[in-house]
């Protein structure tokens, strides 16, 4: 029940799940696994060698979760270190010319809009949305339910549930996206409080997050605190220092 179009190249120990559609000119290489019900559009290249000078041909992996759609010209490379892997979760949409580099971990329900690119070792949480031509530095973490505006650049970690519209700058809570996914008003209100206290004002974000840890009451608030306390190789994207009165007037 797998559909393989003309001029498709499957090269190496590739494993393809049930009901997968490979449109013409798809190229899949190496130790790559494609989950059930995936649809891969023309000229996508999956499982190729990483763009990393340290790679010398060791066995590594690329794994794509079920029901993921990969559009035209998108590229996903396998891991660099021996036995390491690049992973894309279930129900993702990678639009045309999106790029996922070696050793990235992309969660479930993630959307990468046209030409969005992840450098190596990037972690993307569930339900994140990366706008067109977003560029993400290696080793950056992007939290769950984040919205990264088109052409933004991230060289530091993006805290969960927030919006990022400029380079390394947190704009505020992703309210519309959270409401669409069923988040309650009290959860959004607490996330707004944490945004004000930690991402606008904090001089030492980890210390102040630890002080607030015992005061948060909602699960999203706890996940945000945990994300900050987990540590970072690149630092945390902070928000605007001035008060946004328009946002305050709009309410939760």
């Amino acid at each position: 029940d797998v559909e393989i179009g003309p001029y498709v190249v499957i090269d190496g120990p590739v494993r393809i799940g049930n009901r997968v559609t490979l449109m013409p000119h798809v190229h899949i290489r190496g130790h790559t696994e494609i989950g059930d019900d995936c649809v891969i559009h023309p000229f996508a290249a999956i499982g190729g060698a990483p763009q990393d000078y340290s790679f010398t041909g060791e066995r590594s992996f690329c794994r794509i979760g079920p029901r993921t759609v990969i559009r035209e010209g998108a590229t996903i490379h396998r891991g660099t270190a021996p036995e390491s892997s690049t992973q894309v979760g279930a129900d993702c949409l990678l639009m045309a010319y999106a790029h996922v580099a070696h050793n990235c971990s992309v969660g479930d329900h993630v959307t990468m809009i046209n030409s969005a690119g992840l450098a190596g070792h990037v972690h993307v949480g569930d339900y994140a949305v990366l706008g067109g031509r977003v560029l993400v530095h290696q080793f950056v973490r992007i939290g769950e339910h984040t919205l990264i505006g088109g052409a933004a650049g991230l060289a530091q970690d993006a805290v969960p549930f927030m919006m990022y519209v400029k380079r390394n700058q947190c704009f505020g809570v992703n309210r519309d996206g959270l409401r669409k996914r069923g988040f309650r008003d009290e959860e959004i209100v607490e996330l707004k409080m944490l945004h004000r206290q930690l991402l606008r004002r904090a001089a030492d974000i980890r210390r102040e997050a630890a002080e607030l840890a015992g005061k948060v009451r909602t699960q999203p608030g706890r996940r945000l605190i945990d994300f900050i306390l987990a540590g970072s190789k690149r630092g945390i994207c902070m928000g605007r220092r001035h008060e946004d009165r328009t946002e305050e007037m709009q309410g939760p």
Side-chain angles (χ1 to χ4, degrees):
D1 54 3
V2 172
E3 180 181 342
I4 300 178
Y7 306 107
V8 169
V9 174
I10 301 174
D11 178 13
V14 175
R15 300 180 64 181
I16 297 175
N18 298 317
R19 299 173 299 280
V20 170
T21 298
L22 304 180
M23 295 187 183
H25 297 282
V26 167
H27 194 171
I28 304 178
R29 300 186 62 194
H31 290 269
T32 296
E33 300 175 11
I34 308 295
D36 295 346
D37 300 294
C38 288
V39 178
I40 304 176
H41 287 249
F43 300 102
I46 301 172
Q51 298 175 131
D52 186 339
Y53 285 123
S54 68
F55 181 71
T56 56
E58 301 88 351
R59 187 176 78 162
S60 59
F61 300 89
C62 178
R63 299 185 174 98
I64 311 298
R67 300 175 300 281
T68 284
V69 175
I70 301 172
R71 295 302 304 254
E72 297 84 353
T75 52
I76 305 172
H77 294 164
R78 62 184 185 268
T80 293
E83 306 302 310
S84 68
S85 64
T86 301
Q87 301 188 59
V88 175
D91 300 290
C92 294
L93 172 58
L94 276 61
M95 296 190 189
Y97 302 103
H99 175 63
V100 179
H102 60 89
N103 298 100
C104 286
S105 174
V106 177
D108 299 334
H109 302 278
V110 170
T111 300
M112 294 179 62
I113 298 174
N114 300 57
S115 300
L118 307 179
H121 301 275
V122 170
H123 174 82
V124 181
D126 297 344
Y127 290 97
V129 177
L130 280 66
R133 299 187 179 181
V134 165
L135 301 176
V136 183
H137 196 283
Q138 60 187 351
F139 294 104
V140 162
R141 297 178 302 150
I142 297 176
E144 59 196 283
H145 295 279
T146 53
L147 173 62
I148 315 298
L154 289 181
Q156 295 177 308
D157 294 352
V159 173
F161 313 112
M162 299 294 160
M163 295 187 297
Y164 299 81
V165 295
K166 295 182 179 179
R167 180 174 176 83
N168 296 330
Q169 186 175 102
C170 179
F171 182 78
V173 177
N174 182 19
R175 291 171 297 179
D176 290 343
L178 296 180
R179 286 196 182 103
K180 289 177 182 177
R181 297 178 191 127
F183 282 68
R184 303 189 308 274
D185 283 347
E186 55 267 34
E187 294 173 326
I188 296 173
V189 168
E190 183 166 79
L191 290 171
K192 287 185 64 178
M193 179 274 293
L194 293 172
H195 169 253
R196 287 193 299 269
Q197 295 295 323
L198 296 175
L199 298 172
R200 283 189 189 172
R201 303 172 183 170
D204 184 338
I205 188 170
R206 293 196 67 194
R207 177 180 60 79
E208 297 187 34
E211 292 174 356
L212 287 170
K215 301 178 182 179
V216 295
R217 298 181 179 181
T218 67
Q219 186 178 14
R222 287 190 290 271
R223 294 208 296 266
L224 187 150
I225 294 290
D226 289 343
F227 182 94
I228 294 173
L229 295 180
S232 171
K233 293 183 177 181
R234 299 290 309 170
I236 301 291
C237 291
M238 302 296 286
R240 297 163 299 169
R241 293 290 180 177
H242 63 277
E243 291 294 330
D244 185 341
R245 296 187 181 277
T246 301
E247 180 183 335
E248 299 300 329
M249 292 172 64
Q250 289 176 347

